Amino acid sequence: MNDLKQKYLGQIADAADENALEAIRLAAVGKKGEVALKMRELGKMTPEERQVAGPALNALKDEINSALAAKKAGLADAALDARLREEWLDVTLPARGRRQGTIHPISQVSEEVTAIFAEMGFSVAEGPRIDTDWYNFDALNIPGHHPARAEMDTFYMHRAEGDNRPPHVLRTHTSPVQIRSMEAMGAPLRIICPGGVYRADYDQTHTPMFHQVEGLAIDKDISMAHLKWVLEEFVKSYFEVDGVDLRFRASHFPFTEPSAEVDIRCSWEGGTLKVGEGDDWLEILGSGMVHPNVLKAGGIDPEAWQGFAFGMGIDRIAMLKYGVPDLRAFFDSDLRWLRHYGFSALDQPNLHGGLSR
């Protein structure tokens, strides 16, 4: 026993690495190791001999296992010490910069617009982007012969042969949401309808998909004067100016009567838009008093109620405020321009009363 003990404890002490240590373990206490072989011989001994040899072999096995564990821990500590001596890390250095994501200008402007109108008591209404042509056209007093209903201007959903459901379109404006809101909530009503819309057009100032926000206010004694005040307050807040001149020009929209295009006084200095000053005028939206036929389509009595409506392109006013030169850039597959036009996700206010995260 003493010979085995001295033999393996000496080998363990001299082991240079964990591989050598494992070889010693197998030779000593493995299933075919010397200690194991000795323990198999216990069956050939007399009871008196087993009482002496058995405890001695178990004690030897435990001592060898303890020495193996201690040596393994010592080798690991030595390896760690060697690594720490060879490697060097300056923990006082600043971390490497990580590029953060940004909020898309369309999302940012949608938040800005919604927050401004919320201060004036407008709630947000939403509706489907695929809608029937009744909600998109008929309910809005747009006749069947109107050019907007042609397939060259509107995306119609494909219908299989024998499918007799009403025609569906990708909505060309968010006005269908106004009809749905009148049906659901009745009057009085004060809502804005932001969202994506679709038209078959593509150039520097038009894209097949873009974003609109439309407003609708219905009450007993509402007038164009209220419309003008709302739009003035919006323009001042959105463009961050103290005063603004609005010019209403007579126009025609099937869903409003009377109808008006709205211009703002501005100047262009060095290609930069300045709102509220100068001798130039810039058209920014269309508006008017809601046509009685539209009120009827929404289930509201035009003899008792009246209202105003307006609509503007979110993409367009984003271009004006932040100097984006081409509408198509908002949807370009190369988004490197967002490094310039994008908004930090850490410091922009949102509709939930805090900062975007």
Side-chain angles (χ1 to χ4, degrees):
M1 296 289 183
N2 287 331
D3 292 342
L4 287 177
K5 177 179 177 181
Q6 296 300 324
K7 173 184 175 181
Y8 287 113
L9 292 183
Q11 290 180 4
I12 291 171
D14 295 336
D17 53 42
E18 290 192 13
N19 290 332
L21 202 62
E22 178 64 12
I24 296 169
R25 185 190 71 80
L26 293 173
V29 294
K31 290 182 179 180
K32 297 181 180 180
E34 288 193 72
V35 176
L37 293 176
K38 289 288 186 184
M39 295 188 78
R40 291 176 189 172
E41 295 176 359
L42 292 175
K44 301 176 183 179
M45 299 179 182
T46 64
E48 292 79 11
E49 291 174 332
R50 281 198 299 272
Q51 287 181 356
V52 176
L57 285 170
N58 284 327
L60 175 60
K61 183 178 179 181
D62 291 341
E63 191 170 357
I64 292 175
N65 282 329
S66 297
L68 287 167
K71 183 65 175 181
K72 185 175 182 180
L75 289 173
D77 290 342
L80 179 60
D81 290 340
R83 182 180 175 187
L84 291 175
R85 286 193 299 271
E86 293 172 0
E87 295 182 359
W88 180 80
L89 176 66
D90 186 352
V91 295
T92 67
L93 288 174
R96 291 187 178 91
R98 297 175 64 184
R99 184 175 297 164
Q100 294 181 336
T102 55
I103 297 176
H104 195 284
I106 296 301
S107 299
Q108 171 64 20
V109 171
S110 297
E111 291 278 358
E112 292 179 19
V113 170
T114 305
I116 293 169
F117 283 113
E119 289 290 329
M120 291 186 276
F122 286 80
S123 60
V124 175
E126 296 180 322
R129 295 197 180 202
I130 299 175
D131 217 332
T132 65
D133 66 345
W134 187 86
Y135 278 106
N136 196 78
F137 295 122
D138 296 315
L140 294 163
N141 202 40
I142 300 175
H145 61 270
H146 195 280
R149 302 183 76 143
E151 290 188 359
M152 66 178 62
D153 290 327
T154 299
F155 294 104
Y156 283 83
M157 306 303 294
H158 175 72
R159 280 282 183 265
E161 186 175 352
D163 188 343
N164 297 319
R165 288 179 297 168
H168 281 64
V169 301
L170 293 179
R171 66 183 184 188
T172 59
H173 43 193
T174 55
S175 302
V177 182
Q178 298 183 18
I179 301 296
R180 291 179 176 276
S181 298
M182 286 188 278
E183 288 179 336
M185 295 183 279
L189 186 66
R190 194 181 303 182
I191 59 169
I192 59 169
C193 315
V197 297
Y198 307 85
R199 296 180 190 175
D201 209 350
Y202 188 69
D203 58 36
Q204 187 174 359
T205 56
H206 300 86
T207 55
M209 184 190 82
F210 56 102
H211 300 81
Q212 277 189 341
V213 58
E214 299 189 18
L216 174 67
I218 299 174
D219 214 319
K220 292 287 188 179
D221 299 309
I222 208 163
S223 69
M224 291 285 283
H226 298 103
L227 168 64
K228 186 172 186 291
W229 178 85
V230 166
L231 295 179
E232 284 179 344
E233 292 301 305
F234 167 75
V235 172
K236 287 190 292 185
S237 182
Y238 177 73
F239 287 104
E240 301 176 19
V241 294
D242 294 328
V244 65
D245 289 334
L246 294 188
R247 182 175 68 180
F248 280 49
R249 288 182 293 105
S251 186
H252 170 72
F253 304 115
F255 29 79
T256 53
E257 180 61 38
S259 304
E261 302 276 7
V262 179
D263 304 332
I264 55 174
R265 183 183 294 278
C266 65
S267 67
W268 296 89
E269 294 182 7
T272 301
L273 173 68
K274 292 188 176 181
V275 174
E277 60 182 60
D279 299 321
D280 294 325
W281 294 90
L282 177 68
E283 177 190 325
I284 59 167
L285 58 90
S287 65
M289 299 299 292
V290 181
H291 198 287
N293 290 345
V294 175
L295 292 174
K296 289 179 184 177
I300 294 177
D301 182 4
E303 298 295 328
W305 303 91
Q306 60 191 35
F308 65 73
F310 59 86
M312 69 188 84
I314 293 177
D315 316 66
R316 176 167 168 74
I317 62 174
M319 292 173 67
L320 295 175
K321 182 173 181 177
Y322 296 110
V324 180
D326 192 322
L327 181 62
R328 292 169 292 190
F330 287 128
F331 310 99
D332 199 312
S333 59
D334 181 1
L335 296 180
R336 288 175 295 179
W337 64 277
L338 273 174
R339 297 176 189 173
H340 177 72
Y341 291 113
F343 295 85
S344 170
L346 298 178
D347 58 8
Q348 295 300 317
N350 61 35
L351 299 181
H352 308 295
L355 298 178
S356 300
R357 297 291 178 188

